Amino acid sequence: MRRLGSVQRKMPCVFVTEVKEEPSTKREHQPFKVLATETISHKALDADIYSAIPTEKVDGTCCYVTTYKGQPYLWARLDRKPNKLAEKRFKNFIHSKQNSKEFFWNVDEDFKPVPECWIPAKDTEQLNGNPMPDENGHIPGWVPVEKNNKQYCWHSSVVNYEFEIALVLKHHPDDSGLLEISAVPLSDLLEQTLELIGTNINGNPYGLGSKKHPLHLLIPHGAFQIRNLPTLKHNDLLSWFEGCKEGKIEGIVWHCNDGCLIKVHRHHLGLCWPIPDTYMNSKPVIINMNLNRYDCAFDTKCLFNHFSKIDNQKFGRLKDVILDI
């Protein structure tokens, strides 16, 4: 099977969208909704959406694995955003009737500073050697997750740089109806993007862990392929999301042959998210850590150590996984 695309920038919707002037159910205090029409977008058609691989869109925060300090590292998403003056100027331009003209950015002066170790996302447009902002006025990028950085403590909890491994959730290799939590070498994840999910991410839509015993995991993008998706029509997809067990997901991401990623979110179809019983929580999960190959003991407080205590155990649902803390 070919390697699926990585998420380096915001993905366009599979349908042409329109703005409806009523309060958003996705973002609090947003006075409008972005809804899908019945027309498939030109971007989707140009990317040959009909031959793309549909996968579950997972609700978490985006991460990236690439080299740092000579070894594989987990990187957190950090978009470089404009300062207040530039943002005000950009918003005024967007809401004006001058959209036929191009907005001019001064990258050196218009954007907030980022750490020296920050890197722009792949495929970011460049001008005179400088990464340029996208249509939203942000420059997508990444920062490495250092072990003791409190800002990224939940990211840090799912990696161990001494043994160069990560905590990953995916399908069991021999049973697509079974999920597996395992320790995966970071080298196997190089140049891939993943979604970090868990107790303290995006309101924890999958019900992992607890405030006292937080639990976080990485899911490679494209890991959960959708096998029986209906035809690519607005009403058919709407019915699938509403009526099928497999449709109890945040959305769909199509991985196209040219590397392009196209999405649809439940909110695009006027549906709610999060929902009580997700498809991810309908499958049993097994713990398969296999940490005996590592000679040294893990920190007693780390997730790897806790998972080693319940190695080979099987749980009815992902939210039922309880760590021996």
Side-chain angles (χ1 to χ4, degrees), residues 135-169:
E135 66 272 16
N136 300 303
H138 296 176
I139 306 174
W142 310 98
V143 287
V145 174
E146 300 279 15
K147 183 178 179 181
N148 298 314
N149 188 331
K150 290 184 178 180
Q151 183 179 356
Y152 299 109
C153 59
W154 309 122
H155 293 69
S156 183
S157 71
V158 298
V159 288
N160 183 297
Y161 292 131
E162 183 180 356
F163 302 113
E164 297 189 5
I165 53 177
L167 275 174
V168 172
L169 174 70

PDB file of all heavy atoms in Angstrom, residues 135-169:
ATOM      1  N   GLU A 135      -3.680  31.732   2.681  1.00  0.00           N
ATOM      2  CA  GLU A 135      -4.830  32.622   2.451  1.00  0.00           C
ATOM      3  C   GLU A 135      -5.471  33.114   3.737  1.00  0.00           C
ATOM      4  O   GLU A 135      -6.247  34.060   3.744  1.00  0.00           O
ATOM      5  CB  GLU A 135      -5.880  31.912   1.578  1.00  0.00           C
ATOM      6  CG  GLU A 135      -6.536  30.706   2.225  1.00  0.00           C
ATOM      7  CD  GLU A 135      -5.780  29.417   1.997  1.00  0.00           C
ATOM      8  OE1 GLU A 135      -4.601  29.465   1.598  1.00  0.00           O
ATOM      9  OE2 GLU A 135      -6.354  28.340   2.230  1.00  0.00           O
ATOM     10  N   ASN A 136      -5.130  32.471   4.868  1.00  0.00           N
ATOM     11  CA  ASN A 136      -5.653  32.906   6.166  1.00  0.00           C
ATOM     12  C   ASN A 136      -4.721  33.866   6.897  1.00  0.00           C
ATOM     13  O   ASN A 136      -5.007  34.293   8.014  1.00  0.00           O
ATOM     14  CB  ASN A 136      -5.918  31.684   7.057  1.00  0.00           C
ATOM     15  CG  ASN A 136      -6.929  30.740   6.443  1.00  0.00           C
ATOM     16  OD1 ASN A 136      -8.045  31.127   6.142  1.00  0.00           O
ATOM     17  ND2 ASN A 136      -6.525  29.489   6.232  1.00  0.00           N
ATOM     18  N   GLY A 137      -3.583  34.171   6.262  1.00  0.00           N
ATOM     19  CA  GLY A 137      -2.636  35.093   6.889  1.00  0.00           C
ATOM     20  C   GLY A 137      -1.703  34.439   7.881  1.00  0.00           C
ATOM     21  O   GLY A 137      -1.046  35.125   8.669  1.00  0.00           O
ATOM     22  N   HIS A 138      -1.610  33.105   7.876  1.00  0.00           N
ATOM     23  CA  HIS A 138      -0.715  32.378   8.781  1.00  0.00           C
ATOM     24  C   HIS A 138       0.382  31.687   7.978  1.00  0.00           C
ATOM     25  O   HIS A 138       0.172  31.287   6.827  1.00  0.00           O
ATOM     26  CB  HIS A 138      -1.478  31.312   9.571  1.00  0.00           C
ATOM     27  CG  HIS A 138      -2.512  31.868  10.489  1.00  0.00           C
ATOM     28  ND1 HIS A 138      -3.364  31.075  11.226  1.00  0.00           N
ATOM     29  CD2 HIS A 138      -2.845  33.141  10.804  1.00  0.00           C
ATOM     30  CE1 HIS A 138      -4.177  31.829  11.951  1.00  0.00           C
ATOM     31  NE2 HIS A 138      -3.877  33.091  11.694  1.00  0.00           N
ATOM     32  N   ILE A 139       1.549  31.529   8.597  1.00  0.00           N
ATOM     33  CA  ILE A 139       2.615  30.735   7.998  1.00  0.00           C
ATOM     34  C   ILE A 139       2.688  29.422   8.776  1.00  0.00           C
ATOM     35  O   ILE A 139       3.178  29.391   9.909  1.00  0.00           O
ATOM     36  CB  ILE A 139       3.979  31.452   8.050  1.00  0.00           C
ATOM     37  CG1 ILE A 139       3.879  32.855   7.429  1.00  0.00           C
ATOM     38  CG2 ILE A 139       5.045  30.624   7.330  1.00  0.00           C
ATOM     39  CD1 ILE A 139       5.153  33.674   7.568  1.00  0.00           C
ATOM     40  N   PRO A 140       2.177  28.319   8.223  1.00  0.00           N
ATOM     41  CA  PRO A 140       2.183  27.047   8.952  1.00  0.00           C
ATOM     42  C   PRO A 140       3.608  26.597   9.241  1.00  0.00           C
ATOM     43  O   PRO A 140       4.509  26.769   8.414  1.00  0.00           O
ATOM     44  CB  PRO A 140       1.488  26.080   7.982  1.00  0.00           C
ATOM     45  CG  PRO A 140       0.794  26.944   6.984  1.00  0.00           C
ATOM     46  CD  PRO A 140       1.603  28.198   6.882  1.00  0.00           C
ATOM     47  N   GLY A 141       3.808  26.025  10.422  1.00  0.00           N
ATOM     48  CA  GLY A 141       5.154  25.581  10.773  1.00  0.00           C
ATOM     49  C   GLY A 141       5.171  24.657  11.981  1.00  0.00           C
ATOM     50  O   GLY A 141       4.125  24.268  12.507  1.00  0.00           O
ATOM     51  N   TRP A 142       6.391  24.345  12.423  1.00  0.00           N
ATOM     52  CA  TRP A 142       6.594  23.349  13.469  1.00  0.00           C
ATOM     53  C   TRP A 142       7.697  23.775  14.427  1.00  0.00           C
ATOM     54  O   TRP A 142       8.631  24.472  14.038  1.00  0.00           O
ATOM     55  CB  TRP A 142       6.998  22.003  12.858  1.00  0.00           C
ATOM     56  CG  TRP A 142       6.127  21.518  11.745  1.00  0.00           C
ATOM     57  CD1 TRP A 142       6.353  21.643  10.395  1.00  0.00           C
ATOM     58  CD2 TRP A 142       4.873  20.838  11.865  1.00  0.00           C
ATOM     59  NE1 TRP A 142       5.335  21.079   9.684  1.00  0.00           N
ATOM     60  CE2 TRP A 142       4.417  20.565  10.553  1.00  0.00           C
ATOM     61  CE3 TRP A 142       4.099  20.406  12.948  1.00  0.00           C
ATOM     62  CZ2 TRP A 142       3.219  19.909  10.298  1.00  0.00           C
ATOM     63  CZ3 TRP A 142       2.914  19.747  12.698  1.00  0.00           C
ATOM     64  CH2 TRP A 142       2.480  19.498  11.388  1.00  0.00           C
ATOM     65  N   VAL A 143       7.583  23.322  15.683  1.00  0.00           N
ATOM     66  CA  VAL A 143       8.671  23.463  16.656  1.00  0.00           C
ATOM     67  C   VAL A 143       8.926  22.101  17.305  1.00  0.00           C
ATOM     68  O   VAL A 143       7.984  21.341  17.538  1.00  0.00           O
ATOM     69  CB  VAL A 143       8.361  24.502  17.763  1.00  0.00           C
ATOM     70  CG1 VAL A 143       8.422  25.917  17.238  1.00  0.00           C
ATOM     71  CG2 VAL A 143       7.015  24.227  18.417  1.00  0.00           C
ATOM     72  N   PRO A 144      10.200  21.778  17.593  1.00  0.00           N
ATOM     73  CA  PRO A 144      10.488  20.482  18.212  1.00  0.00           C
ATOM     74  C   PRO A 144       9.951  20.411  19.644  1.00  0.00           C
ATOM     75  O   PRO A 144       9.953  21.408  20.360  1.00  0.00           O
ATOM     76  CB  PRO A 144      12.018  20.407  18.183  1.00  0.00           C
ATOM     77  CG  PRO A 144      12.472  21.828  18.108  1.00  0.00           C
ATOM     78  CD  PRO A 144      11.420  22.571  17.349  1.00  0.00           C
ATOM     79  N   VAL A 145       9.488  19.232  20.014  1.00  0.00           N
ATOM     80  CA  VAL A 145       8.954  19.007  21.364  1.00  0.00           C
ATOM     81  C   VAL A 145      10.106  18.576  22.263  1.00  0.00           C
ATOM     82  O   VAL A 145      10.562  17.430  22.209  1.00  0.00           O
ATOM     83  CB  VAL A 145       7.847  17.935  21.355  1.00  0.00           C
ATOM     84  CG1 VAL A 145       7.398  17.608  22.775  1.00  0.00           C
ATOM     85  CG2 VAL A 145       6.672  18.396  20.509  1.00  0.00           C
ATOM     86  N   GLU A 146      10.578  19.514  23.064  1.00  0.00           N
ATOM     87  CA  GLU A 146      11.661  19.195  23.999  1.00  0.00           C
ATOM     88  C   GLU A 146      11.097  18.485  25.231  1.00  0.00           C
ATOM     89  O   GLU A 146       9.947  18.703  25.619  1.00  0.00           O
ATOM     90  CB  GLU A 146      12.390  20.480  24.423  1.00  0.00           C
ATOM     91  CG  GLU A 146      13.019  21.255  23.289  1.00  0.00           C
ATOM     92  CD  GLU A 146      14.366  20.694  22.865  1.00  0.00           C
ATOM     93  OE1 GLU A 146      14.691  19.543  23.255  1.00  0.00           O
ATOM     94  OE2 GLU A 146      15.088  21.396  22.144  1.00  0.00           O
ATOM     95  N   LYS A 147      11.907  17.673  25.844  1.00  0.00           N
ATOM     96  CA  LYS A 147      11.446  16.815  26.946  1.00  0.00           C
ATOM     97  C   LYS A 147      10.828  17.599  28.096  1.00  0.00           C
ATOM     98  O   LYS A 147       9.802  17.213  28.632  1.00  0.00           O
ATOM     99  CB  LYS A 147      12.614  15.965  27.457  1.00  0.00           C
ATOM    100  CG  LYS A 147      12.217  14.979  28.548  1.00  0.00           C
ATOM    101  CD  LYS A 147      13.393  14.134  28.982  1.00  0.00           C
ATOM    102  CE  LYS A 147      12.988  13.173  30.100  1.00  0.00           C
ATOM    103  NZ  LYS A 147      14.134  12.348  30.557  1.00  0.00           N
ATOM    104  N   ASN A 148      11.432  18.715  28.481  1.00  0.00           N
ATOM    105  CA  ASN A 148      10.983  19.435  29.683  1.00  0.00           C
ATOM    106  C   ASN A 148      10.222  20.717  29.369  1.00  0.00           C
ATOM    107  O   ASN A 148      10.089  21.585  30.234  1.00  0.00           O
ATOM    108  CB  ASN A 148      12.186  19.746  30.583  1.00  0.00           C
ATOM    109  CG  ASN A 148      12.869  18.483  31.070  1.00  0.00           C
ATOM    110  OD1 ASN A 148      12.203  17.549  31.510  1.00  0.00           O
ATOM    111  ND2 ASN A 148      14.192  18.451  30.987  1.00  0.00           N
ATOM    112  N   ASN A 149       9.713  20.847  28.146  1.00  0.00           N
ATOM    113  CA  ASN A 149       8.946  22.035  27.772  1.00  0.00           C
ATOM    114  C   ASN A 149       7.508  21.880  28.257  1.00  0.00           C
ATOM    115  O   ASN A 149       6.739  21.076  27.735  1.00  0.00           O
ATOM    116  CB  ASN A 149       8.982  22.220  26.253  1.00  0.00           C
ATOM    117  CG  ASN A 149       8.367  23.533  25.819  1.00  0.00           C
ATOM    118  OD1 ASN A 149       7.470  24.068  26.479  1.00  0.00           O
ATOM    119  ND2 ASN A 149       8.827  24.054  24.689  1.00  0.00           N
ATOM    120  N   LYS A 150       7.131  22.650  29.284  1.00  0.00           N
ATOM    121  CA  LYS A 150       5.799  22.516  29.886  1.00  0.00           C
ATOM    122  C   LYS A 150       4.688  22.866  28.902  1.00  0.00           C
ATOM    123  O   LYS A 150       3.580  22.350  29.001  1.00  0.00           O
ATOM    124  CB  LYS A 150       5.700  23.399  31.132  1.00  0.00           C
ATOM    125  CG  LYS A 150       6.550  22.899  32.289  1.00  0.00           C
ATOM    126  CD  LYS A 150       6.347  23.745  33.536  1.00  0.00           C
ATOM    127  CE  LYS A 150       7.179  23.201  34.695  1.00  0.00           C
ATOM    128  NZ  LYS A 150       7.003  24.018  35.927  1.00  0.00           N
ATOM    129  N   GLN A 151       4.975  23.754  27.955  1.00  0.00           N
ATOM    130  CA  GLN A 151       3.955  24.144  26.978  1.00  0.00           C
ATOM    131  C   GLN A 151       3.497  22.952  26.140  1.00  0.00           C
ATOM    132  O   GLN A 151       2.356  22.879  25.711  1.00  0.00           O
ATOM    133  CB  GLN A 151       4.513  25.243  26.066  1.00  0.00           C
ATOM    134  CG  GLN A 151       3.491  25.768  25.062  1.00  0.00           C
ATOM    135  CD  GLN A 151       4.057  26.863  24.190  1.00  0.00           C
ATOM    136  OE1 GLN A 151       5.199  27.299  24.369  1.00  0.00           O
ATOM    137  NE2 GLN A 151       3.272  27.330  23.234  1.00  0.00           N
ATOM    138  N   TYR A 152       4.409  22.000  25.931  1.00  0.00           N
ATOM    139  CA  TYR A 152       4.098  20.824  25.116  1.00  0.00           C
ATOM    140  C   TYR A 152       4.226  19.532  25.928  1.00  0.00           C
ATOM    141  O   TYR A 152       4.676  18.511  25.421  1.00  0.00           O
ATOM    142  CB  TYR A 152       5.015  20.787  23.890  1.00  0.00           C
ATOM    143  CG  TYR A 152       4.849  21.990  22.990  1.00  0.00           C
ATOM    144  CD1 TYR A 152       5.835  22.965  22.900  1.00  0.00           C
ATOM    145  CD2 TYR A 152       3.678  22.164  22.254  1.00  0.00           C
ATOM    146  CE1 TYR A 152       5.674  24.077  22.079  1.00  0.00           C
ATOM    147  CE2 TYR A 152       3.505  23.277  21.431  1.00  0.00           C
ATOM    148  CZ  TYR A 152       4.506  24.227  21.350  1.00  0.00           C
ATOM    149  OH  TYR A 152       4.330  25.331  20.549  1.00  0.00           O
ATOM    150  N   CYS A 153       3.801  19.603  27.195  1.00  0.00           N
ATOM    151  CA  CYS A 153       3.977  18.447  28.082  1.00  0.00           C
ATOM    152  C   CYS A 153       3.164  17.236  27.627  1.00  0.00           C
ATOM    153  O   CYS A 153       3.587  16.087  27.817  1.00  0.00           O
ATOM    154  CB  CYS A 153       3.637  18.809  29.528  1.00  0.00           C
ATOM    155  SG  CYS A 153       1.944  19.396  29.788  1.00  0.00           S
ATOM    156  N   TRP A 154       1.995  17.465  26.992  1.00  0.00           N
ATOM    157  CA  TRP A 154       1.175  16.323  26.552  1.00  0.00           C
ATOM    158  C   TRP A 154       1.777  15.700  25.301  1.00  0.00           C
ATOM    159  O   TRP A 154       1.710  14.480  25.116  1.00  0.00           O
ATOM    160  CB  TRP A 154      -0.267  16.759  26.321  1.00  0.00           C
ATOM    161  CG  TRP A 154      -0.837  17.502  27.490  1.00  0.00           C
ATOM    162  CD1 TRP A 154      -1.360  18.758  27.500  1.00  0.00           C
ATOM    163  CD2 TRP A 154      -0.904  17.043  28.844  1.00  0.00           C
ATOM    164  NE1 TRP A 154      -1.744  19.118  28.765  1.00  0.00           N
ATOM    165  CE2 TRP A 154      -1.479  18.087  29.611  1.00  0.00           C
ATOM    166  CE3 TRP A 154      -0.526  15.860  29.499  1.00  0.00           C
ATOM    167  CZ2 TRP A 154      -1.685  17.980  31.000  1.00  0.00           C
ATOM    168  CZ3 TRP A 154      -0.724  15.752  30.866  1.00  0.00           C
ATOM    169  CH2 TRP A 154      -1.310  16.799  31.598  1.00  0.00           C
ATOM    170  N   HIS A 155       2.393  16.513  24.454  1.00  0.00           N
ATOM    171  CA  HIS A 155       3.141  15.969  23.319  1.00  0.00           C
ATOM    172  C   HIS A 155       4.313  15.123  23.843  1.00  0.00           C
ATOM    173  O   HIS A 155       4.556  14.007  23.385  1.00  0.00           O
ATOM    174  CB  HIS A 155       3.723  17.095  22.452  1.00  0.00           C
ATOM    175  CG  HIS A 155       2.722  17.929  21.724  1.00  0.00           C
ATOM    176  ND1 HIS A 155       1.860  18.804  22.369  1.00  0.00           N
ATOM    177  CD2 HIS A 155       2.456  18.050  20.389  1.00  0.00           C
ATOM    178  CE1 HIS A 155       1.109  19.416  21.460  1.00  0.00           C
ATOM    179  NE2 HIS A 155       1.444  18.984  20.255  1.00  0.00           N
ATOM    180  N   SER A 156       5.017  15.696  24.826  1.00  0.00           N
ATOM    181  CA  SER A 156       6.205  15.036  25.363  1.00  0.00           C
ATOM    182  C   SER A 156       5.887  13.694  26.021  1.00  0.00           C
ATOM    183  O   SER A 156       6.723  12.788  26.035  1.00  0.00           O
ATOM    184  CB  SER A 156       6.871  15.971  26.381  1.00  0.00           C
ATOM    185  OG  SER A 156       8.064  15.409  26.875  1.00  0.00           O
ATOM    186  N   SER A 157       4.650  13.559  26.521  1.00  0.00           N
ATOM    187  CA  SER A 157       4.286  12.337  27.244  1.00  0.00           C
ATOM    188  C   SER A 157       4.210  11.113  26.337  1.00  0.00           C
ATOM    189  O   SER A 157       4.231   9.981  26.820  1.00  0.00           O
ATOM    190  CB  SER A 157       2.949  12.527  27.976  1.00  0.00           C
ATOM    191  OG  SER A 157       1.861  12.573  27.064  1.00  0.00           O
ATOM    192  N   VAL A 158       4.105  11.319  25.019  1.00  0.00           N
ATOM    193  CA  VAL A 158       3.927  10.183  24.105  1.00  0.00           C
ATOM    194  C   VAL A 158       5.214   9.805  23.373  1.00  0.00           C
ATOM    195  O   VAL A 158       5.191   8.959  22.479  1.00  0.00           O
ATOM    196  CB  VAL A 158       2.808  10.465  23.074  1.00  0.00           C
ATOM    197  CG1 VAL A 158       1.479  10.676  23.780  1.00  0.00           C
ATOM    198  CG2 VAL A 158       3.157  11.663  22.195  1.00  0.00           C
ATOM    199  N   VAL A 159       6.337  10.423  23.755  1.00  0.00           N
ATOM    200  CA  VAL A 159       7.615  10.064  23.135  1.00  0.00           C
ATOM    201  C   VAL A 159       8.671   9.833  24.213  1.00  0.00           C
ATOM    202  O   VAL A 159       8.608  10.384  25.306  1.00  0.00           O
ATOM    203  CB  VAL A 159       8.117  11.160  22.156  1.00  0.00           C
ATOM    204  CG1 VAL A 159       7.274  11.187  20.908  1.00  0.00           C
ATOM    205  CG2 VAL A 159       8.169  12.524  22.816  1.00  0.00           C
ATOM    206  N   ASN A 160       9.635   8.999  23.873  1.00  0.00           N
ATOM    207  CA  ASN A 160      10.805   8.784  24.720  1.00  0.00           C
ATOM    208  C   ASN A 160      12.022   8.885  23.805  1.00  0.00           C
ATOM    209  O   ASN A 160      12.237   8.036  22.941  1.00  0.00           O
ATOM    210  CB  ASN A 160      10.744   7.410  25.392  1.00  0.00           C
ATOM    211  CG  ASN A 160      11.921   7.179  26.334  1.00  0.00           C
ATOM    212  OD1 ASN A 160      13.065   7.146  25.906  1.00  0.00           O
ATOM    213  ND2 ASN A 160      11.622   7.013  27.609  1.00  0.00           N
ATOM    214  N   TYR A 161      12.798   9.966  23.990  1.00  0.00           N
ATOM    215  CA  TYR A 161      13.919  10.219  23.092  1.00  0.00           C
ATOM    216  C   TYR A 161      15.133   9.346  23.415  1.00  0.00           C
ATOM    217  O   TYR A 161      15.982   9.113  22.551  1.00  0.00           O
ATOM    218  CB  TYR A 161      14.308  11.688  23.125  1.00  0.00           C
ATOM    219  CG  TYR A 161      13.250  12.596  22.525  1.00  0.00           C
ATOM    220  CD1 TYR A 161      12.804  13.732  23.183  1.00  0.00           C
ATOM    221  CD2 TYR A 161      12.697  12.313  21.282  1.00  0.00           C
ATOM    222  CE1 TYR A 161      11.842  14.558  22.633  1.00  0.00           C
ATOM    223  CE2 TYR A 161      11.730  13.127  20.716  1.00  0.00           C
ATOM    224  CZ  TYR A 161      11.308  14.253  21.401  1.00  0.00           C
ATOM    225  OH  TYR A 161      10.341  15.065  20.845  1.00  0.00           O
ATOM    226  N   GLU A 162      15.226   8.871  24.651  1.00  0.00           N
ATOM    227  CA  GLU A 162      16.343   7.985  25.009  1.00  0.00           C
ATOM    228  C   GLU A 162      16.266   6.681  24.212  1.00  0.00           C
ATOM    229  O   GLU A 162      17.258   6.186  23.683  1.00  0.00           O
ATOM    230  CB  GLU A 162      16.317   7.682  26.505  1.00  0.00           C
ATOM    231  CG  GLU A 162      17.478   6.823  26.966  1.00  0.00           C
ATOM    232  CD  GLU A 162      17.442   6.515  28.460  1.00  0.00           C
ATOM    233  OE1 GLU A 162      16.542   7.037  29.158  1.00  0.00           O
ATOM    234  OE2 GLU A 162      18.311   5.752  28.911  1.00  0.00           O
ATOM    235  N   PHE A 163      15.053   6.139  24.098  1.00  0.00           N
ATOM    236  CA  PHE A 163      14.860   4.894  23.350  1.00  0.00           C
ATOM    237  C   PHE A 163      14.286   5.149  21.952  1.00  0.00           C
ATOM    238  O   PHE A 163      14.063   4.211  21.186  1.00  0.00           O
ATOM    239  CB  PHE A 163      13.930   3.959  24.131  1.00  0.00           C
ATOM    240  CG  PHE A 163      14.443   3.622  25.505  1.00  0.00           C
ATOM    241  CD1 PHE A 163      13.782   4.075  26.636  1.00  0.00           C
ATOM    242  CD2 PHE A 163      15.603   2.883  25.657  1.00  0.00           C
ATOM    243  CE1 PHE A 163      14.269   3.773  27.905  1.00  0.00           C
ATOM    244  CE2 PHE A 163      16.087   2.577  26.917  1.00  0.00           C
ATOM    245  CZ  PHE A 163      15.428   3.027  28.053  1.00  0.00           C
ATOM    246  N   GLU A 164      14.015   6.434  21.653  1.00  0.00           N
ATOM    247  CA  GLU A 164      13.526   6.858  20.334  1.00  0.00           C
ATOM    248  C   GLU A 164      12.253   6.101  19.913  1.00  0.00           C
ATOM    249  O   GLU A 164      12.174   5.515  18.835  1.00  0.00           O
ATOM    250  CB  GLU A 164      14.631   6.694  19.272  1.00  0.00           C
ATOM    251  CG  GLU A 164      15.843   7.576  19.553  1.00  0.00           C
ATOM    252  CD  GLU A 164      16.850   7.587  18.411  1.00  0.00           C
ATOM    253  OE1 GLU A 164      16.575   6.991  17.355  1.00  0.00           O
ATOM    254  OE2 GLU A 164      17.930   8.199  18.579  1.00  0.00           O
ATOM    255  N   ILE A 165      11.252   6.141  20.800  1.00  0.00           N
ATOM    256  CA  ILE A 165       9.976   5.481  20.537  1.00  0.00           C
ATOM    257  C   ILE A 165       8.816   6.427  20.811  1.00  0.00           C
ATOM    258  O   ILE A 165       8.959   7.437  21.506  1.00  0.00           O
ATOM    259  CB  ILE A 165       9.804   4.191  21.384  1.00  0.00           C
ATOM    260  CG1 ILE A 165      10.038   4.488  22.873  1.00  0.00           C
ATOM    261  CG2 ILE A 165      10.717   3.085  20.892  1.00  0.00           C
ATOM    262  CD1 ILE A 165       9.823   3.281  23.784  1.00  0.00           C
ATOM    263  N   ALA A 166       7.651   6.069  20.247  1.00  0.00           N
ATOM    264  CA  ALA A 166       6.436   6.867  20.415  1.00  0.00           C
ATOM    265  C   ALA A 166       5.264   5.941  20.723  1.00  0.00           C
ATOM    266  O   ALA A 166       5.238   4.783  20.283  1.00  0.00           O
ATOM    267  CB  ALA A 166       6.152   7.676  19.156  1.00  0.00           C
ATOM    268  N   LEU A 167       4.277   6.461  21.455  1.00  0.00           N
ATOM    269  CA  LEU A 167       3.046   5.724  21.754  1.00  0.00           C
ATOM    270  C   LEU A 167       2.059   5.949  20.620  1.00  0.00           C
ATOM    271  O   LEU A 167       1.605   7.071  20.404  1.00  0.00           O
ATOM    272  CB  LEU A 167       2.432   6.210  23.072  1.00  0.00           C
ATOM    273  CG  LEU A 167       2.949   5.598  24.364  1.00  0.00           C
ATOM    274  CD1 LEU A 167       2.329   6.316  25.560  1.00  0.00           C
ATOM    275  CD2 LEU A 167       2.645   4.107  24.434  1.00  0.00           C
ATOM    276  N   VAL A 168       1.720   4.880  19.914  1.00  0.00           N
ATOM    277  CA  VAL A 168       0.903   5.004  18.707  1.00  0.00           C
ATOM    278  C   VAL A 168      -0.331   4.118  18.783  1.00  0.00           C
ATOM    279  O   VAL A 168      -0.271   2.969  19.227  1.00  0.00           O
ATOM    280  CB  VAL A 168       1.740   4.636  17.457  1.00  0.00           C
ATOM    281  CG1 VAL A 168       0.868   4.579  16.218  1.00  0.00           C
ATOM    282  CG2 VAL A 168       2.871   5.649  17.263  1.00  0.00           C
ATOM    283  N   LEU A 169      -1.456   4.682  18.338  1.00  0.00           N
ATOM    284  CA  LEU A 169      -2.708   3.937  18.212  1.00  0.00           C
ATOM    285  C   LEU A 169      -2.979   3.711  16.729  1.00  0.00           C
ATOM    286  O   LEU A 169      -2.973   4.652  15.936  1.00  0.00           O
ATOM    287  CB  LEU A 169      -3.868   4.729  18.836  1.00  0.00           C
ATOM    288  CG  LEU A 169      -5.268   4.124  18.638  1.00  0.00           C
ATOM    289  CD1 LEU A 169      -5.440   2.854  19.462  1.00  0.00           C
ATOM    290  CD2 LEU A 169      -6.344   5.147  19.011  1.00  0.00           C
TER     291      LEU A 169
END
